[in-house]
Each structure stands twice: as C-alpha cells, then as structure tokens.
C-alpha cells in the first residue's frame, strides 16, 4: 500500500539528506525537496538549491559536490536544480 501511494521513506532519511546538503559550501537554501520510492526498494530525490554563484564553473562544481554528497544515500535517480539567489521559483515553500 505504501508503494502504491508512493510513500516517502523514513523521516530520519529526510533529515540526514538535509544535514548533508547543508554542509556543502555555496548551498544557501534548499527547498522543494522530495524523496520517494517507485518500487519499494530504491529511493529517488528531487530538490532545488539556491546559491550565489557568479560563474558557470562554480555552478558545475557545486552540482558535482551536491551529487557527491548524496552518493552515500544510493538514490536510483536524482534531479537537482540550482537557482541563483535572485531567481524566482514557483515551487518555493514558505
């Protein structure tokens, strides 16, 4: 039933992921974070990150850092959108 409803993993995983992402330099704010399972075994993640990056090289490095920081959680699929500090995001929570 949990799989059918695309239930989310344990709350502890959500907190662990947030703590890990907050430790990455240049990550200012994390929002629209969703973790769920499509098959009951493998989790997937989507998130938006706000950063004050100035050049494209910093953008690429940040994206690699975020993927590296999430590697220990063994997500089967991930989508990471990096936004600049002055960007508008229609999915912004709160």
């Amino acid at each position: 039933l949990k799989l059918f409803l695309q239930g989310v993993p344990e709350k502890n995983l959500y907190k662990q992921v947030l703590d890990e992402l907050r430790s990455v330099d240049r990550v200012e704010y994390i929002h629209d974070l969703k973790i769920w399972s499509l098959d009951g075994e493998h989790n997937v993640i989507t998130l938006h990150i706000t950063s004050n990056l100035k050049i494209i090289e910093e953008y690429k490095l940040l994206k690699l850092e975020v993927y590296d920081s999430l590697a220990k959680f063994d997500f089967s699929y991930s989508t990471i959108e990096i936004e600049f500090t002055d960007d508008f995001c229609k999915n912004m929570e709160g």
Side-chain angles (χ1 to χ4, degrees):
L1 180 62
K2 184 176 180 178
L3 175 62
F4 179 70
L5 297 174
Q6 288 188 337
V8 297
E10 299 80 35
K11 189 175 184 175
N12 191 33
L13 176 62
Y14 187 86
K15 183 187 177 326
Q16 289 175 335
V17 168
L18 273 176
D19 289 345
E20 183 68 28
L21 291 171
R22 287 178 178 141
S23 72
V24 176
D25 287 341
R26 297 181 305 273
V27 169
E28 291 185 350
Y29 186 70
I30 303 154
H31 63 279
D32 206 23
L33 172 62
K34 296 176 180 76
I35 302 171
W36 72 99
S37 178
L38 297 175
D39 64 2
E41 291 183 31
H42 302 97
N43 294 327
V44 296
I45 185 171
T46 64
L47 65 125
H48 292 207
I49 294 171
T50 301
S51 182
N52 63 354
L53 302 176
K54 304 288 186 241
I55 56 175
I56 196 69
E57 288 78 18
E58 288 180 342
Y59 175 92
K60 291 176 185 178
L61 288 173
L62 175 58
K63 199 163 197 176
L64 287 174
E65 267 186 77
V66 170
Y67 277 118
D68 286 347
S69 72
L70 294 173
K72 67 181 170 185
F73 298 104
D74 197 31
F75 290 110
S76 297
Y77 179 84
S78 58
T79 301
I80 300 166
E81 181 174 330
I82 300 174
E83 302 162 346
F84 296 99
T85 303
D86 59 352
D87 281 350
F88 170 77
C89 179
K90 67 181 181 90
N91 296 332
M92 187 75 99
E93 297 174 357

